[in-house]
Amino acid sequence: MTEAVTTALAGANPLPAPKVTLPRELIRVLRVWPDWLFGMLASMGMGLATGAFLYWDPFGHQVRDPLTLIVTTVLTAVADASLTNQLAAEPEWAIRVLSGGGDPARMLRVRNQVLYIFEAGFAFGVAGLVILLTKDHHWVKHNWPIIAELPLAPIAAGNLASVLFPCPFMRLRHRLQATTTWPRWGAYIGIPFALTSLGTATVMGFPAWMEQQVKHSAERMHHRPSWLTADNIHYATWLIAVPVLNLLIWAIALKAADSLAHMRRRHLVTLMRKHTELAMGMEDISLWEAVKALPANLKTIPSEVHQAASAEIEEVRQVGGHIDRGLEHALARQAAKIRAKRAAEQNAGTA
């Protein structure tokens, strides 16, 4: 166990909180290569696979529209990558920062900036690839703001998910064994995906509808101003209105997540600590062995997972900062079972 987690577990004087700034965080991420970064790369690979299927669809429904290809590919990737839990993606680091008095708002802002740098780079990389495949670049000057704005709605959803349903990162081989975390894991993935879909429909569909309405109104004018052209309407919508709307949604989500994180700082630290303890208590098996053990773990769904889900739902209904109490009890139960199993194995070995 690392020094940061040991200090938090023991309740001793916490270490000074690391300074969280964008340059420091970028350097640290590129130096450490945390596990969530590999998850982000896997999400980007999933997005590219979706785009490749649309472009080379063996069923004969190939998509050749550049913007459709880019939006689908990028949203498939960032809707998953942006769900990287900004406050608990690296539990040990987050425990050290929060226990040392670190500001959750600063942590979220810096994590948002790091996510945006990676995801905006991916978005424009996909745009360049689509240009090479379709040999069409005339659409770029009118639509580049759309590409730049695609990651903002998923990042905003990730902010709220990281506080409302914090799900500290756990290696997949450990996650497959930790059956009591599955309800929270499923909620953490499913709810933000739904929010991302709704946010994207709002941010992309509503401005497009407004643009069409303004164009129709302008066409019916008897004395139409010279400046009210179709290009100017398009630029005003996608270069001014949509960026402001995206930034407003992101700012509101960030503010709400910051307020919740300040109220629930202690519970967030406790939850991350218990996840870390549980992960360290899991059997050190390979991913393939964990997958082979899934049939046996699936048999626990009617009992353990149902109990954990019921406890989570009951706690969510209550008012206050106790949303995670059900999961904490579930983690404690599974940790106790692991300890009892190991004690029985040791006693059998001694006998």
Side-chain angles (χ1 to χ4, degrees), residues 65-103:
D65 178 60
L67 195 59
T68 302
L69 279 174
I70 293 170
V71 170
T72 305
T73 301
V74 173
L75 285 182
T76 302
V78 304
D80 183 38
S82 292
L83 300 184
T84 299
N85 199 315
Q86 289 94 331
L87 287 178
E90 298 171 74
E92 297 179 9
W93 175 79
I95 288 173
R96 183 179 172 190
V97 174
L98 292 175
S99 299
D103 182 13

Side-chain angles (χ1 to χ4, degrees), residues 155-326:
I155 288 176
N159 283 333
L160 293 174
S162 69
V163 180
L164 288 174
F165 281 90
C167 188
F169 182 86
M170 188 181 287
R171 292 287 182 89
L172 186 57
R173 57 194 173 95
H174 293 153
R175 182 72 70 189
L176 295 179
Q177 300 176 65
T179 54
T180 54
T181 68
W182 288 1
R184 172 64 65 93
W185 189 33
Y188 172 67
I189 293 175
I191 292 176
F193 257 113
L195 290 176
T196 298
S197 301
L198 179 61
T200 301
T202 302
V203 173
M204 301 293 293
F206 180 71
W209 179 80
M210 285 297 299
E211 180 184 5
Q212 293 299 321
Q213 295 301 313
V214 173
K215 286 182 178 179
H216 290 321
S217 298
E219 291 172 356
R220 291 196 297 266
M221 289 183 179
H222 296 290
H223 303 286
R224 181 174 179 175
S226 59
W227 53 267
L228 194 59
T229 63
D231 285 343
N232 287 341
I233 294 173
H234 181 86
Y235 292 143
T237 301
W238 298 104
L239 288 177
I240 300 175
V242 172
V244 170
L245 179 60
N246 270 279
L247 290 173
L248 184 62
I249 291 173
W250 172 79
I252 292 174
L254 180 63
K255 182 62 177 177
D258 173 41
S259 300
L260 290 170
H262 275 291
M263 289 191 299
R264 307 181 58 220
R265 178 194 297 265
R266 182 187 304 172
H267 292 281
L268 290 171
V269 172
T270 301
L271 183 63
M272 288 185 284
R273 186 180 70 227
K274 290 193 174 184
H275 260 79
T276 303
E277 291 177 339
L278 183 64
M280 294 179 66
M282 289 292 175
E283 296 183 27
D284 191 16
I285 59 178
S286 66
L287 177 59
W288 175 240
E289 291 173 328
V291 172
K292 289 194 297 184
L294 268 179
N297 290 334
L298 289 174
K299 295 178 181 179
T300 65
I301 288 180
S303 57
E304 289 185 0
V305 177
H306 182 266
Q307 292 174 8
S310 300
E312 283 286 324
I313 294 171
E314 183 63 29
E315 293 297 337
V316 168
R317 291 174 180 170
Q318 299 181 8
V319 179
H322 305 290
I323 295 179
D324 301 310
R325 192 63 57 80

Side-chain angles (χ1 to χ4, degrees), residues 25 28 86 90 107-115:
E25 185 65 5
R28 189 187 68 82
Q86 289 94 331
E90 298 171 74
M107 293 174 65
L108 283 170
R109 283 197 302 270
V110 171
R111 275 298 167 94
N112 287 179
Q113 292 165 2
V114 171
L115 286 173

